[in-house]
Amino acid sequence: ARRIVVGEDEKGRSTIVSDAPTGTRLATEAFTRNVIWGADRVPTPVAAENAMTDAATIPPPPAGYYYDISTFPPDSEWDYDGGYGKALAAAGVGDAESADAIPPEGPAAIPGMHQTDTVDIVTVISGEIWAVVETGETLVKAGDTVVHRGTWHAWRNRSDAPCTVAALHVSVVRP
């Protein structure tokens, strides 16, 4: 994903300081994730540098946020049931060992079901995808937005085309 960063020049005028593909990218069978920008705390100083590391992990720092663009291929193009746990582990949700363990009980038994300490605001840019929660699911199309508030959820692309989403992940605290 192309990232254009605007800042200020030595005279305090707005200027384009960089224009290049994002350097933080993760490609798995389940999704390709391009992390565009992040901060390690909120509020963030206006001129703060990008807080992203080279790893395109899903949970942002405990007091920060990440903004990313991700693409999900159709489920029919890969082993959804067997591979989603490994893809999530690669993105920093869970670990590779538990992805190969005996299937868990409860919501984690559903392939791809995960929960993070974040509010996730996810907007479909193109395509469509099913937002799966513990009690059901709904079809989300281009222009629609889903807000997950630290809830268990998964994504299923049952169409024959990729689905691209933009997402803001903001760290939260649980009571």
Side-chain angles (χ1 to χ4, degrees), residues 137-162:
E137 58 189 29
T138 190
L139 181 60
V140 187
K141 297 182 177 185
D144 295 346
T145 299
V146 177
V147 180
H148 286 291
R149 299 180 301 167
T151 54
W152 283 98
H153 66 281
W155 302 103
R156 295 293 306 252
N157 184 350
R158 297 183 182 125
S159 76
D160 60 358

Side-chain angles (χ1 to χ4, degrees), residues 81-90 93-104 108:
D81 291 336
Y84 212 113
K86 292 177 184 175
L88 287 172
V93 178
D95 57 62
E97 291 176 12
S98 64
D100 291 329
I102 297 170

